[in-house]
Amino acid sequence: MSDAEVLLMVDDRPSSFTRYAARELAGRLVLLRFADARPDLPEDYLRETAHLPAFRVREGASPAEEARRYRDWAAGLPTPPTRFCNPSEPRQAVAQRFAELAGLPHLTGRQVALVRDKAVMKSRFRELGLRTAEFARVRSGAEIERFAGRHGWPVVLKPVDSFACLDTYRLDDPGGLAGIDLGARDWMVEAYLGGTEWEACAIVLDGEVLDVWPSAMPCRPLDIVDGAMNANISVGTGEGPPVDLRALVQRIVTGMGIDHGYAHMEFFLIDGEVYAGEIGIRLAGCEIPANHGHAYGFDVFGATLAVYLGRRPDLDYRERRCAGDLLLPLPGTGLVRRITSRDELLGMPGVIDAVLKVGADDTVTARRASHNASGYAHVVGASIGEVESRMREVLARFTIEVVAREAHTAPT
């Protein structure tokens, strides 16, 4: 493919990847924004990307009409986009449908279901010969209790289209159902798996998995949303799981007919056996992709953009170490009174980069989600154990004080 091809990219929140693309693809990048995403696009980010053409999909308008309006608009650009990238998990269905109507490469409706509806996804895993946790769609507490009667407590309850552990719960008994509205969404329940949970990221071109990068998780996502350390560690050394990861991801990619893109997978290793968890065809959340770049010493975002532009990337690894992203706590909702500075973080052992998303006097809102954080630090080391130890030292030294607005404004 020619280097001159232009990419249309969904842009509904600032991220390291979208910021990289905005810097590196000037003249070859067009942004696709949705009207309801503006609250997630802060003014500084809008200024940062103001040099790029951006098409905004109107809220409430028909997809066909918006695609027609886009085609007319894109025809006036120096070079209209011929490639498409959607890094947004919750917008998969609407974004891929838009790309289809706009005549761009896209996931089909069936493929969107395979990577978004977790019950459909796990059924496909089983058709491909992979083990999964026992699971079932459910609509009531009684159905959940019957499932637990067959497979035992605890169980995991989640919406079929959840991500980042939003509205995902470990239920240890029927009492855990209190306060959960099962009528608002489509839900499923799974047997709780033991063993070790791993992640794997891959890039795909022309249906071929070019490489896979494993990540260790010091704590499970379901424990993270309840307060455990929030971190992922890319394993560039030989400490990864004893699994042929490329063959594993290739089986799924082939079985789902995925032509190109970034794949992010979670799986469990139990007594030497792999149990497939979930897969997404979009960049991994938090700073996991950046971890791979730090662990292997290569341009991970450039490689990702290459496959979305239809080009084979240069996977020239110059490093072999472990590198992780430690999400810094955001302990509550209210006003930030004080927080450890970036310079202090950079002075801690193994910390090579740090980003604070909030500062003193900012108003913050904590959420029960695996990406809830006040910022992050990239931590490197020679082994998983060394990185985890350094992360725990960072947490021990990091401070953030959040007070309720009422407490801050109350008269003295």
Side-chain angles (χ1 to χ4, degrees):
M1 292 292 178
S2 167
D3 285 351
E5 284 207 80
V6 174
L7 182 70
L8 178 68
M9 185 172 72
V10 173
D11 183 35
D12 65 354
R13 67 180 181 87
S15 69
S16 296
F17 176 66
T18 55
R19 291 179 190 274
Y20 176 98
R23 291 193 308 269
E24 299 296 321
L25 285 185
R28 297 168 51 211
L29 181 67
V30 175
L31 302 178
L32 179 64
R33 290 172 172 162
F34 293 82
D36 62 337
R38 190 172 182 85
D40 292 327
L41 296 175
E43 290 302 320
D44 63 334
Y45 178 74
L46 292 172
R47 288 192 299 270
E48 187 179 341
T49 56
H51 63 292
L52 297 169
F55 181 83
R56 184 171 293 277
V57 177
R58 296 173 299 183
E59 193 168 8
S62 76
E65 170 59 21
E66 292 304 274
R68 183 202 60 75
R69 197 167 63 86
Y70 163 79
R71 291 194 301 270
D72 291 344
W73 175 85
L77 297 173
T79 306
T82 52
R83 309 289 299 188
F84 179 71
C85 173
N86 172 42
S88 172
E89 174 72 7
R91 289 195 191 276
Q92 277 287 28
V94 65
Q96 300 296 341
R97 176 59 175 157
F98 183 92
E100 179 182 10
L101 292 170
L104 297 171
H106 61 278
L107 297 179
T108 66
R110 169 62 175 168
Q111 288 171 324
V112 169
L114 288 170
V115 300
R116 281 292 284 144
D117 186 314
K118 299 180 192 305
V120 175
M121 179 192 302
K122 290 174 188 290
S123 294
R124 185 57 178 153
F125 285 161
R126 290 190 168 186
E127 292 169 355
L128 296 174
L130 300 174
R131 298 177 182 83
T132 74
E134 295 295 333
F135 67 94
R137 293 182 184 269
V138 291
R139 295 183 178 179
S140 67
E143 290 180 330
I144 295 169
E145 291 188 48
R146 284 196 293 271
F147 179 91
R150 295 192 300 273
H151 303 292
W153 299 96
V155 297
V156 177
L157 177 69
K158 64 181 72 171
V160 297
D161 61 350
S162 181
F163 70 103
C165 286
L166 291 168
D167 297 324
T168 299
Y169 306 92
R170 169 178 162 159
L171 306 179
D172 294 312
D173 54 50
L177 284 163
I180 300 176
D181 180 7
L182 295 176
R185 302 175 69 177
D186 292 331
W187 295 82
M188 66 179 291
V189 64
E190 298 176 338
Y192 181 84
L193 292 180
T196 304
E197 188 171 358
W198 290 87
E199 297 172 318
C201 294
I203 51 174
V204 180
L205 182 65
D206 296 332
E208 176 191 357
V209 174
L210 303 183
D211 208 351
V212 182
W213 310 300
S215 292
M217 290 184 286
C219 302
R220 289 188 171 196
L222 271 178
D223 297 327
I224 288 168
V225 295
D226 290 326
M229 183 171 77
N230 194 346
N232 302 273
I233 301 173
S234 178
V235 186
T237 61
E239 293 183 87
V243 175
D244 187 340
L245 292 178
R246 187 178 295 191
L248 173 64
V249 180
Q250 186 68 66
R251 182 190 298 192
I252 296 170
V253 164
T254 301
M256 292 184 174
I258 304 300
D259 176 73
H260 67 280
Y262 188 112
H264 174 66
M265 182 179 181
E266 298 162 0
F267 65 95
F268 298 83
L269 198 58
I270 304 173
D271 297 329
E273 301 287 356
V274 171
Y275 285 72
E278 299 173 3
I279 193 167
I281 305 301
R282 41 78 183 165
L283 271 79
C286 302
E287 292 296 311
I288 295 171
N291 292 342
H292 302 317
H294 291 307
Y296 295 86
F298 81 115
D299 183 359
V300 64
F301 292 140
T304 301
L305 286 173
V307 298
Y308 279 104
L309 285 165
R311 295 186 285 107
R312 196 173 188 91
D314 179 11
L315 299 181
D316 180 19
Y317 301 148
R318 301 179 302 279
E319 189 78 63
R320 289 286 182 174
R321 60 183 177 179
C322 292
D325 64 318
L326 170 67
L327 271 64
L328 302 170
L330 182 59
T333 295
L335 189 78
V336 178
R337 273 199 170 149
R338 61 189 179 94
I339 186 170
T340 300
S341 71
R342 181 174 186 270
D343 286 344
E344 289 176 280
L345 289 166
L346 291 173
M348 298 180 190
V351 177
I352 60 170
D353 193 15
V355 172
L356 292 174
K357 297 180 179 180
V358 304
D361 298 325
D362 284 349
T363 299
V364 297
T365 302
R367 294 187 295 169
R368 187 183 184 277
S370 63
H371 56 268
N372 181 64
S374 57
Y376 61 86
H378 281 297
V379 183
V380 299
S383 65
I384 296 172
E386 183 174 53
V387 172
E388 182 175 346
S389 176
R390 288 174 167 178
M391 286 176 165
R392 294 193 182 279
E393 181 177 350
V394 170
L395 284 181
R397 296 169 60 180
F398 177 78
T399 59
I400 179 172
E401 182 182 352
V402 178
V403 296
R405 295 288 303 186
E406 294 78 6
H408 177 73
T409 57
T412 58

